[in-house]
Amino acid sequence: MSAAELERAVQLLIRQVGHWEQPRWAATAASGNVSRADVVHRLVQEVANLAADAEGEPRRTVPRLANDLALTDQLRVVAADLVAAGAAAEVLAGAATEVAATRGAL
């Protein structure tokens, strides 16, 4: 159930931002003084860290690509990695909660 919750949360976020052009990504997020792209990249990094932990691998920095439109693809990949790593249900649920919080912060 938690893997499905995470996948659903990711899909909702992607539907919310997937059509954005660069100016919308560069706009300040509702949650503070950083760009919306920065907020989503932080989420991508957090999910990637969870996946690395679940795989027993060292954490690696997710590159910040020049084109913010790639953030949704990066999120899809790291979320799939987390599920494929066989993360515990509570880890998946926590990741889904972070994705939902990010949606609200945008």
Side-chain angles (χ1 to χ4, degrees):
M1 182 63 114
S2 292
E5 290 172 15
L6 176 59
E7 291 169 10
R8 171 91 171 125
V10 168
Q11 285 305 315
L12 288 172
L13 177 59
I14 289 171
R15 283 186 204 144
Q16 178 179 340
V17 303
H19 63 281
W20 286 1
E21 298 294 329
Q22 190 59 42
R24 286 187 83 177
W25 282 109
T28 302
S31 64
N33 60 354
V34 297
S35 72
R36 291 170 169 166
D38 289 337
V39 171
V40 174
H41 186 263
R42 178 197 52 79
L43 172 66
V44 169
Q45 184 64 62
E46 287 180 16
V47 176
N49 289 344
L50 292 172
D53 293 347
E55 294 171 341
E57 296 290 330
R59 291 180 173 188
R60 296 178 182 92
T61 301
V62 176
R64 180 65 187 269
L65 303 176
N67 188 345
D68 293 331
L69 303 178
L71 286 166
T72 55
D73 291 332
Q74 286 182 306
L75 180 58
R76 280 186 185 107
V77 169
V78 296
D81 287 347
L82 180 59
V83 171
E90 58 270 5
V91 173
L92 296 173
T97 299
E98 282 298 315
V99 173
T102 298
R103 284 187 67 218
L106 298 175

